[in-house]
């Protein structure tokens, strides 16, 4: 074990009371997956959260998109996204096996499209960068696009196919992870943690999403995202099967179709801390969505919602031991990528806890990269 280890102290009634090996703060996808992995290795795990699954994951679209999300200047993050996406098939199979749950995991791939010539020019710059990294992005002519997805607007000027960018339903994922963690022996404590010093455990994992800032002083800031959920009328599946990510008259929009008829249309990216849904955002998202896929205008509007991504100064997660805080690990700051990064985060943090050895994959993402000459910002 990394620190502490199984121990026994006197309980409130004088009987033996086993201190948990691992206390996880936050029952979002990241905290629950870590709890599942640790409990499955025989550790005593308690997960603290007054409202499991109520954080960013409740709003998230669930794209598993290491290719489409490979942006300029984020080379190391792209490597982690790719490593985690590669773990997704086995992770999904194992979670389904452990729970019997349907995760809404789909591997149809993602179409990247541009509505106008300007949109296409912008998109092509990014595709060229992604291809230069060796990532699978295949340009498609308009006719090839519509062969794959006949519901696309005839105005769409061109696009590309990212076959390895998949999707999962985050709400189903979190419910399944909760079941798996409990079945593996983890305990859920339905309470907020105000101070880490209140916890008595061998190792404490801060997996509280945006809550990590107040709890551990980590440089995590909320980045607001608004989404709209539509539903195909008549209880049928949507009239398209790929995730579609597009540029439409300068607006960036994605459309994520679920087998149960839901379509997630997202998302705004706003440096704000509120979760108000605005008419302007809904209007812009729906206009861009309908421009790309006209039949969406006839779908039912079932939900508008906003959530807060746990963003960091370099857009990458914060994973590993907190300097100056023995026995405390961070697993937070997953920003736009917490769903795709869930498997690799859970595996690497559970490995670190059980063996004390950090996988080299963690090296670029440790908390000490934010240490200043004056000292740690969270000390
Ligand atoms: C609009 C939008 C779209 C997104 N789309 C995608 C996508 O397509 N693909 C993708 O990979 N990611 C996506 N994300 C990002 C993803 O949702 C997050 O990165 C992910 O949810 C982070 O998981 P988490 O478990 O760290 O945090 P969260 O999901 O935010 O969960 C944190 C949990 O911690 C609990 N908590 C907080 N403070 C405390 C405390 N003091 N004590 C106890 N519990 C506490 C909260 O109640 C919550 O349950 C999207 C996010 C948004 C907002």
């Amino acid at each position: 074990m990394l620190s502490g280890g199984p121990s026994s102290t006197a309980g409130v009634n004088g009987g033996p009371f086993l201190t948990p090996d691992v206390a996880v703060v936050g029952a979002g996808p990241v905290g629950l997956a870590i709890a599942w992995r640790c409990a499955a290795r025989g550790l005593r795990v308690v997960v603290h959260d007054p409202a499991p699954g109520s954080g960013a994951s409740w709003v998230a679209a669930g794209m598993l998109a290491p290719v489409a999300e490979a942006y300029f200047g984020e080379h190391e993050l792209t490597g982690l996204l790719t490593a985690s996406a590669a773990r997704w098939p086995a992770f999904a199979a194992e979670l389904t096996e452990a729970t019997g749950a349907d995760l809404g995991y789909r591997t149809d791939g993602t179409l990247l499209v541009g509505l106008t010539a300007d949109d296409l020019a912008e998109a092509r710059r990014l595709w060229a960068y992604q291809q230069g990294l060796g990532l699978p992005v295949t340009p498609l002519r308009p006719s090839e696009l519509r062969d794959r997805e006949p519901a696309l607007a005839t105005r769409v000027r061109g696009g590309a196919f990212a076959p390895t960018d998949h999707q999962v339903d985050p709400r189903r994922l979190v419910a399944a992870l909760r079941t798996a963690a409990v079945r593996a022996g983890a305990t859920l404590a339905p309470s907020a943690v105000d101070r880490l010093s209140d916890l008595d455990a061998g190792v404490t994992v801060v997996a509280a999403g945006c809550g990590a800032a107040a709890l551990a002083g980590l440089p995590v800031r909320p980045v607001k995202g608004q989404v709209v959920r539509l539903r195909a009328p008549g209880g049928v599946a949507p009239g398209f099967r790929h995730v579609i990510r597009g540029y439409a008259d300068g607006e960036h929009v994605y459309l994520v179709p679920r087998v149960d008829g839901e379509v997630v249309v997202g998302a705004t990216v706003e440096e704000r801390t509120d979760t108000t849904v605005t008419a302007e955002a809904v209007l812009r998202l729906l206009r861009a969505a309908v421009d790309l896929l006209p039949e969406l205008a006839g779908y039912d509007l079932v939900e508008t919602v906003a959530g807060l991504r746990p963003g960091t100064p370099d857009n990458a997660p914060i994973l590993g031991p907190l300097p100056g805080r023995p026995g405390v690990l961070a697993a937070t700051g997953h920003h736009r990528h917490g769903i795709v990064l869930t498997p690799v985060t859970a595996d690497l943090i559970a490995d670190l806890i059980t063996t004390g050895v950090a996988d080299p994959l963690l090296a670029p993402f440790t908390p000490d990269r934010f240490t200043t000459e004056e000292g740690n910002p969270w000390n």
Side-chain angles (χ1 to χ4, degrees):
M1 278 263 307
L2 181 70
S3 150
S7 59
S8 173
T9 57
V12 278
N13 297 321
F17 175 83
L18 292 175
T19 304
D21 299 316
V22 182
V24 179
V25 187
V30 170
L32 287 170
I34 292 169
W36 176 36
R37 289 306 200 208
C38 288
R41 293 173 191 204
L43 299 177
R44 281 188 307 276
V45 180
V46 179
V47 188
H48 299 263
D49 196 326
S54 66
S57 68
W58 184 250
V59 178
M63 292 173 293
L64 311 174
V67 177
E69 296 269 336
Y71 293 119
F72 301 101
E74 296 185 355
H75 194 253
E76 283 171 330
L77 176 59
T78 300
L80 192 69
L81 293 173
T82 306
S84 198
R87 292 175 192 232
W88 253 100
F91 183 83
E94 201 182 332
L95 188 54
T96 303
E97 166 94 28
T99 62
D102 174 0
L103 309 177
Y105 177 59
R106 292 184 71 174
T107 57
D108 301 270
T110 295
L111 288 179
L112 313 164
V113 302
L115 184 66
T116 67
D118 276 354
D119 291 326
L120 201 52
E122 183 180 350
R124 280 183 174 144
R125 284 189 56 177
L126 190 57
W127 301 341
Y129 167 73
Q130 292 160 345
Q131 285 176 315
L133 295 177
L135 297 172
V137 190
T138 311
L140 298 176
R141 287 193 297 273
S143 61
E144 293 173 318
L145 268 181
R146 269 178 288 278
D147 284 347
R148 285 182 185 275
E149 217 51 277
L152 277 171
T154 51
R155 282 177 62 208
V156 171
R157 289 290 292 262
F161 184 45
T164 58
D165 279 7
H166 300 153
Q167 64 141 312
V168 70
D169 183 332
R171 293 178 182 177
R172 290 172 183 252
L173 169 69
V174 168
L177 284 171
R178 184 174 171 167
T179 301
V182 169
R183 283 191 183 164
T187 306
L188 295 182
S191 51
V193 174
D194 296 325
R195 286 181 305 272
L196 293 178
S197 56
D198 291 344
L199 298 174
D200 183 19
V203 175
T204 297
V205 181
V206 179
C210 290
L215 206 52
L218 287 165
V220 176
R221 72 181 195 290
V223 180
K224 179 179 174 181
Q226 303 188 50
V227 306
V228 175
R229 279 180 162 78
L230 306 177
R231 188 166 287 283
V236 299
F240 62 109
R241 64 192 175 89
H242 298 89
V243 171
I244 295 175
R245 300 174 65 113
Y247 297 74
D249 279 322
E251 291 287 345
H252 295 196
V253 69
Y254 55 71
L255 315 170
V256 182
R258 311 255 196 247
V259 173
D260 65 6
E262 183 178 270
V263 176
V264 182
V265 180
T268 64
V269 180
E270 305 167 65
E271 292 292 338
R272 296 173 60 103
T273 58
D274 63 277
T275 52
T276 306
V277 175
T278 66
E280 188 203 0
V282 172
L283 179 67
R284 288 169 61 170
L285 289 171
L286 287 181
R287 187 159 49 208
V290 171
D291 280 348
L292 295 178
L293 222 108
E295 73 171 48
L296 292 179
Y299 282 36
D300 302 337
L301 193 162
V302 292
E303 185 181 354
T304 59
V305 64
L308 301 173
R309 306 171 184 89
T312 63
D314 58 7
N315 297 332
I318 304 176
L319 308 172
L322 289 194
R325 305 281 287 268
V328 181
L329 300 179
T332 186
H334 291 73
H335 198 210
R336 300 187 310 261
H337 310 297
I339 307 300
V340 62
L341 288 176
T342 289
V344 80
T345 301
D347 289 346
L348 298 188
I349 295 294
D351 285 350
L352 180 56
I353 290 171
T354 46
T355 68
V357 178
D359 188 293
L361 267 177
L362 284 174
F365 307 105
T366 51
D368 55 13
R369 73 186 188 278
F370 296 119
T371 305
T372 62
E373 279 184 11
E374 292 75 45
N376 302 329
W378 49 86
N379 268 347

